Amino acid sequence: LSDAERVQAQLAKQGVDAKVQRVAVDNDVWHRVCVGPINDVNELNRVRKQLQAAEVDALVIRIGD
């Protein structure tokens, strides 16, 4: 969890609001750092560029339609 919290704090310093989500996969527990939802494509691209500049790996996931 400390790695996820570290990333969350790093994002907060850049003005990006993020949440840590606990996920159980088989017998493992993972902690995701989630940003969003972001509904505007321009805002999504701006945040993605900001994360890339900060060397934070990001994956865009579409939820619902």
Side-chain angles (χ1 to χ4, degrees):
L1 181 60
S2 61
D3 286 342
E5 290 172 334
R6 180 184 51 77
V7 172
Q8 181 185 28
Q10 177 185 359
L11 294 175
K13 288 179 185 177
Q14 297 178 35
V16 177
D17 184 33
K19 298 167 203 69
V20 175
Q21 181 182 52
R22 184 180 186 273
V23 181
V25 179
D26 297 326
N27 292 328
D28 292 328
V29 174
W30 295 82
H31 293 89
R32 289 186 208 159
V33 180
C34 301
V35 176
I38 300 173
N39 297 317
D40 179 65
V41 172
N42 292 325
E43 176 67 6
L44 173 64
N45 289 331
R46 185 191 68 75
V47 171
R48 288 177 71 192
K49 286 179 184 174
Q50 185 177 359
L51 295 175
Q52 287 174 343
E55 297 181 354
V56 174
D57 292 329
L59 175 65
V60 176
I61 300 173
R62 179 180 217 143
I63 300 176
D65 274 329

